[in-house]
Amino acid sequence: MMTPPVSSAAPLTELSAFVPSFRASAPYIHAFRGKTFVVAFGGEVIADETFPNFIADLNLLASLGVRLVLVHGSRPQIEKLLVQREMKSTYHRGVRVTDEHQLGSVIGATARAKARVEAALSMAPRTASVAPIHNRVTSGNFVVAKPIGVVDGVDMKYSGEVRRIDALAINDCLKDGDIVLMSTLAYSTSGDTFNLTVEEVATQTAIALKAQKLIFLLDTPGVLNGDGSVISTLYTREAADIANKAPQASDVQLFLSASVRACQKGVSRAHLIGRKLDGAILQELFTRDGIGTMISVDSLDNLRQATIDDVGALLSIIEPLEKQGILVPRARATFEREIERFFLAEHDGQVIGCAALYPFPEANKAELACLAVNPDYRREGYGERLMKAVERAAKDHGINTLFVLTTRTAHWFIERGFRAATIADLPEKKQALYNFERNSQVYVKSL
Ligand code: ARG
């Protein structure tokens, strides 16, 4: 019997931590609505005691509008059944060789495992007083299989691979709001049943659906560094290097290569997360740093010039600093008028920092103004990159001296090549505007 996940009301002291973390997850909730995620997990996950919680988290994702495709494996279940029937498991290159005597057991064990997933998905959590989430689960013959054939002289027999994925049919189900559940059994056009690997089905499905995410659950908490710590992000090329060279656990090796293949074929991101930590998938998806390893094609960071649509985001960075007196308050209209003077740093699509360039061409000088980075992203080099962008733009204007006015962050500028100067070093126009009450210090840097 599975026990539904239980939760208790958070003690009052935890509420204060809940509010900021819920707010921080809001952009992800928004970004994931209507997106397709393929989640792959081995049969070990089904046998885990945290399985009902994992399934509840998946139901939660579906109820937030994520189009969810689940692909489950059943290796331990098959192994157990084969042992009971006194048959031996044979693997070649990590893939089971499924012969005609074993195929029946493979089908039986896979079907049972699938039934467990369906049952768990249908279970109403006892947690909420509101109506339980009920997501419809659909399966079908979405995969056309073909035999793997002979590998290194080994006939893989009824072990198969994907010939084609019926993306249209899967999309129809997703459109209706169903959760699509796929197993590793698939049929060939000749009517034979084949046993596929979970990573093969999941990867090909993610590619065919042009999924935003492909997620694998691992035995380890992620792809591990030599010192045992989790590597948080990898670009496709680095991931391919690790998959080819560095020794990793076998599931990591297989899933990492699969992730690289998926990313190279248009899946935006692949995530490798540990199966043993309760709630890992939520932490991975709804926090900035996640908890496992994320493989992506592009850098998450972007630096660009601001447009009029960015005024709101810009103000959210600047206003707190104005309140603390670190930046001089400016009218909203000023931002709208001067928006193209601003450069923005983005992380994962969110504006997290800004800086502006105010040229005084008659004096051959320019001001680096409004340099600000969201406190959650400090000490990660964003400020420096913004400063460099402003320096480059100043040079493009043919200007060779940059100055800043600062009351509290002088050391930061000194460390980056600025030196103390006086009001007399400012362009005349700027001197006229100098606010003596604020008593800012002047720093300059030759470019
Ligand atoms: N929550 C974000 C996402 O799902 C970022 C996750 C970052 N994860 C990581 N292992 N670095 O896209």
Side-chain angles (χ1 to χ4, degrees), residues 69-290:
V69 179
L70 310 181
V71 185
H72 76 85
S74 41
R75 181 174 282 190
Q77 290 82 357
I78 293 172
E79 257 158 20
K80 202 166 147 200
L81 195 57
L82 288 178
V83 169
Q84 276 171 18
R85 297 183 174 172
E86 295 179 356
M87 287 190 257
K88 205 171 127 275
S89 291
T90 333
Y91 294 96
H92 181 64
R93 291 186 180 235
V95 177
R96 174 185 302 283
V97 180
T98 314
D99 70 20
E100 55 280 20
H101 308 293
Q102 299 190 345
L103 186 59
S105 306
V106 169
I107 295 173
T110 306
R112 279 187 72 107
K114 179 159 174 260
R116 271 187 74 87
V117 181
E118 277 173 348
L121 280 165
S122 309
M123 184 166 54
R126 274 203 260 108
T127 48
S129 49
V130 290
I133 311 162
H134 182 81
N135 296 304
R136 190 168 46 198
V137 186
T138 308
S139 304
N141 55 342
F142 300 133
V143 182
V144 181
K146 60 178 183 196
I148 295 179
V150 180
V151 182
D152 312 320
V154 179
D155 185 354
M156 301 299 288
K157 305 207 173 139
Y158 287 93
S159 296
E161 56 193 21
V162 171
R163 162 161 286 165
R164 196 166 57 77
I165 302 280
D166 192 347
L168 220 62
I170 299 176
N171 269 323
D172 271 347
C173 302
L174 293 173
K175 223 178 288 149
D176 290 342
D178 299 5
I179 294 178
V180 172
L181 175 63
M182 300 168 77
S183 78
T184 46
L185 292 178
Y187 317 99
S188 67
T189 40
S190 59
D192 285 315
T193 303
F194 284 93
N195 180 24
L196 278 58
T197 65
V198 73
E199 63 275 14
E200 163 79 353
V201 176
T203 306
Q204 300 302 335
T205 302
I207 293 170
L209 294 176
K210 302 184 171 65
Q212 274 68 35
K213 288 187 189 296
L214 170 61
I215 301 167
F216 286 107
L217 269 78
L218 308 170
D219 285 347
T220 50
V223 181
L224 302 183
N225 263 317
D227 64 0
S229 60
V230 174
I231 303 175
S232 178
T233 43
L234 287 171
Y235 296 135
T236 323
R237 197 172 6 86
E238 303 168 303
D241 274 355
I242 296 180
N244 295 335
K245 279 189 239 128
Q248 296 280 340
S250 68
D251 59 339
V252 177
Q253 200 88 15
L254 292 171
F255 296 161
L256 196 57
S257 315
S259 301
V260 171
R261 254 178 285 140
C263 287
Q264 284 168 341
K265 294 226 164 140
V267 175
S268 324
R269 288 175 184 183
H271 300 256
L272 272 57
I273 56 185
R275 67 176 169 89
K276 291 180 184 157
L277 191 75
D278 191 15
I281 191 163
L282 297 184
Q283 193 160 338
E284 176 64 19
L285 294 179
F286 296 103
T287 64
R288 157 171 86 108
D289 295 323

